[in-house]
Each structure stands twice: as C-alpha cells, then as structure tokens.
Amino acid sequence: MGGAVSAGEDNDELIDNLKEAQYIRTELVEQAFRAIDRADYYLEEFKDSAYKDLAWKHGNIHLSAPCIYSEVMEALDLQPGLSFLNLGSGTGYLSSMVGLILGPFGVNHGVELHSDVIEYAKQKLDFFIKTSDSFDKFEFCEPSFVTGNCLEISPDCTQYDRVYCGAGVQKEHEDYMKSLLKVGGILVMPLEEKLTKITRTGPSAWETKKILAVSFAPLVQPNHTDSGKSRLVHLPPVAVRSLQDLARIAIRGTIKKIIHQESMNKNGNGLKNPPRFKRRRLRRRRMETIVFLDKEVFASRISSPSDDNNNNSEDLEDERQEEEEEEIKPPELKPDPPVNYLREKVLSLPLPDPLKYYLLYYREK
C-alpha cells in the first residue's frame, strides 16, 4: 500500500507532501509526525527507502505506508490523557507518535505476535528517548508492549478510549474488536479491504465510516492444536505514577513554560516561524496532445495563438520577477544548529548531577 504522495528527501519533506495531499490535516498529527524520523525505524541497509510513501517489510518487521499511518492518526482523534491499544504494534513507530499526543497521564499499550519484533520496538523506543531532541518538546506517554495474539486477549481486560488494529480483520471478528472499546471510544481497523472508523456511541450503538480502500495482511488466527498452557494475552496493568515521576513531570512542565515565556518576550508578539522552504513558481507551458486512432496519429494543440501570446508575455513577466528577486535576495546564511533549551536549563540548575540527569531521563547529548 502507499504511493499516494511523492517521495521526500528527508522526514520533513515527506510530511510536507502528506500535508499537501491532505493526508495530514491537523496540527497535533503534524507535530507528532515531524518529531519522529521514519528512517529511525528502518534497518540501516534499507534507510534509502524511508521517505517513500510505501510500506516496508523485512522478515517479521513491518511498517505501513506513511499515507496509511496519517489517515489512522487523523481518524483516531487523539487527545491528552486517553487510553490507546495498538493491536499488531510492530516496530512501535505508530505507538510512539500516539504517545507524544497522549501525554504523561495517558495509557499506551501494544500487542505484538512476534517476540523478535517486540525486542526491535523496545530498542527503537529506547533510541528515541535517549537521543532525539524532539523528546523534550513533548510530555511522553511511553508505550508498553506484550507478546501474544491479539485475538486472544483476556476477557477481563480493561476497555480503551482508542483502538487500532494493524492487520486485516475478518467480519467474524468485528464484534470482538468492538468489545475492546469504551463508550465514546474510536476503533480504526482494516475491515473487508476498507480502512474503517467505528465510534461507540452507546452500550450497543455504533457509527461506522469507511475511510479508504486498503490491502492488509489478515490477522493470524489462534492455533489451538497444542494443549496445556493458556494462551490468553494479559495486557499491562494501568499503573499509577510514582511521586518521583509526578515531580519530574511537574518540574519539566514548569521549565518549559519559563522557556516559552522567555521566547515570547524576546520575539515580541511571538510570530510563527516562516515556512520551511519556498516552492518554485510553476510556469505555464503550451500543452500539446497526441491522439492515437486506428494506427493513425493526430496531433492537436490545446492553446490558441492568442493564448500563446498571453502565455509568452506572462512567462517573460515571471522570469523578470524571478531575476529581480534574485538580485535583491540576501546571501543565504547557514542556519544555526538547533538548541535544546530544556536540556540547557536543566543543566544550569543548582542541583546534584544525578538529579539533573534524572530530569533529563538520563538522555545522551
């Protein structure tokens, strides 16, 4: 699946293309996509393909196309503090983006069939927390992953505000998926070759919306041939934050507010950053069409002579404007390297080093 948008040269350009094609429509979703580099979830030898709008699979490791993930993120309508269950959590890429929106008081659980993929997801999560400056721009709801078949979740598990299934769901399992959802919650899953959004509006009331046609590998059916141990999947408990954790969240939040206020005072009215890049002006070109009919070829020109004259004058005007802009354009300065202001503030505090590093989640420079 995928190929709906052009390939980007980097993560930001991929997101620009998804926005332009209206796959990313809200600011929260855009921020989450920009914060996590898709290439970080690829094996090193495959990173050249990371910014293409295509799915990627290697062994048990799988990533859906960016256009699919963006439709899923938009459909989930995520908000801070919600609970989220990812069925077929894979590399953890989607779960990590969701965690940036849920914030520290949300719940973020994933079920994955393959234990080797769980280990891969944990490595990628650890890498993001320890190395990415984007981590300090958000309050993060860290995902917890368990191994098992998502069709064998223990019946006494809690229900969730948001549920996503990353494999094709057969019609016979639709009610099972709905049972995982709280009243008012949203379930997004591929159902009968359509990415489907189901909202639970009451104990037995549902609203269903088909989003787009998709092709997903089907859910792996439970294997009951072996006798003995129960195969029930027990989801992680909803843990209460420790006082130490709550203090860290509060301190980091206070420092962020101070940094934001200082930035507002420094920049006056706090205008937004200018666009990341300026698109090239497209010039009108005279178009010709060639029609094939019974081995004969007919060529016809779309524009009339008067149109050509108009287009030529407009092209000349465009060229003149571009030349003037280039003449007055100041020389391009190298952008300053990004600064992690939260890290700088924490390190400047009159605190013992172990406490500073705790506030930074023991993150690397």
Side-chain angles (χ1 to χ4, degrees), residues 246-291:
L246 293 172
R248 174 164 62 182
I249 291 164
I251 293 169
R252 283 169 63 93
T254 300
I255 294 173
K256 283 180 182 176
K257 286 179 184 175
I258 292 169
I259 293 169
H260 178 69
Q261 190 59 51
E262 288 176 352
S263 175
M264 292 285 285
N265 294 339
K266 184 178 178 181
N267 297 330
N269 56 6
L271 290 174
K272 289 185 177 179
N273 292 330
R276 198 176 63 83
F277 64 89
K278 183 178 178 181
R279 295 190 179 276
R280 291 179 58 192
R281 181 184 290 110
L282 295 176
R283 296 180 186 170
R284 292 187 180 91
R285 299 291 186 193
R286 187 173 63 196
M287 186 181 296
E288 294 183 352
T289 60
I290 298 176
V291 181

Side-chain angles (χ1 to χ4, degrees), residues 31-71:
Q31 289 172 354
F33 267 87
R34 291 197 190 278
I36 300 181
D37 195 321
R38 181 176 166 86
D40 290 342
Y41 286 78
Y42 275 66
L43 293 170
E44 194 65 38
E45 60 267 35
F46 299 103
K47 286 191 174 183
D48 289 347
S49 302
Y51 307 121
K52 295 177 180 175
D53 187 29
L54 296 171
W56 173 66
K57 190 174 186 342
H58 181 78
N60 292 327
I61 301 169
H62 177 262
L63 281 166
S64 292
C67 68
I68 301 296
Y69 280 136
S70 51
E71 284 288 4

Side-chain angles (χ1 to χ4, degrees), residues 36 41 62-63 69 84-100 102 107-129 140-150 153 160 164 233-238:
I36 300 181
Y41 286 78
H62 177 262
L63 281 166
Y69 280 136
F84 172 67
L85 177 61
N86 189 353
L87 304 175
S89 51
T91 64
Y93 173 63
L94 179 69
S95 291
S96 292
M97 286 196 293
V98 169
L100 295 173
L102 296 184
V107 174
N108 194 355
H109 293 164
V111 180
E112 170 56 42
L113 184 62
H114 304 288
S115 57
D116 60 324
V117 180
I118 291 270
E119 288 308 309
Y120 186 85
K122 288 178 179 177
Q123 290 170 19
K124 295 303 178 184
L125 175 63
D126 189 56
F127 178 82
F128 171 68
I129 292 174
F140 188 49
C141 182
E142 187 172 332
S144 296
F145 305 113
V146 295
T147 308
N149 189 310
C150 66
I153 292 174
Y160 291 80
Y164 170 65
V233 176
H234 296 279
L235 296 171
V238 179

Side-chain angles (χ1 to χ4, degrees), residues 307-331:
D307 290 336
D308 289 344
N309 292 334
N310 290 337
N311 288 345
N312 288 336
S313 63
E314 287 173 359
D315 283 347
L316 289 170
E317 181 62 27
D318 286 346
E319 287 176 5
R320 197 176 299 116
Q321 285 182 8
E322 285 181 359
E323 287 170 2
E324 290 173 0
E325 287 173 3
E326 285 173 5
E327 285 175 8
I328 63 172
K329 189 178 178 182

Side-chain angles (χ1 to χ4, degrees), residues 3-8 13-14 17 51-53:
V5 301
S6 302
E13 194 166 307
L14 172 63
N17 293 338
Y51 307 121
K52 295 177 180 175
D53 187 29

Side-chain angles (χ1 to χ4, degrees), residues 136-186:
D136 284 334
K137 298 175 184 175
F138 299 83
E139 292 296 348
F140 188 49
C141 182
E142 187 172 332
S144 296
F145 305 113
V146 295
T147 308
N149 189 310
C150 66
L151 292 175
E152 296 184 300
I153 292 174
S154 174
D156 61 355
C157 80
T158 184
Q159 293 177 315
Y160 291 80
D161 297 301
R162 300 291 185 269
V163 178
Y164 170 65
C165 181
V169 178
Q170 294 84 354
K171 191 68 177 174
E172 65 200 77
H173 297 305
E174 180 180 356
D175 289 341
Y176 169 86
M177 294 294 175
K178 288 178 176 179
S179 71
L180 301 171
L181 204 59
K182 291 180 181 178
V183 173
I186 294 172

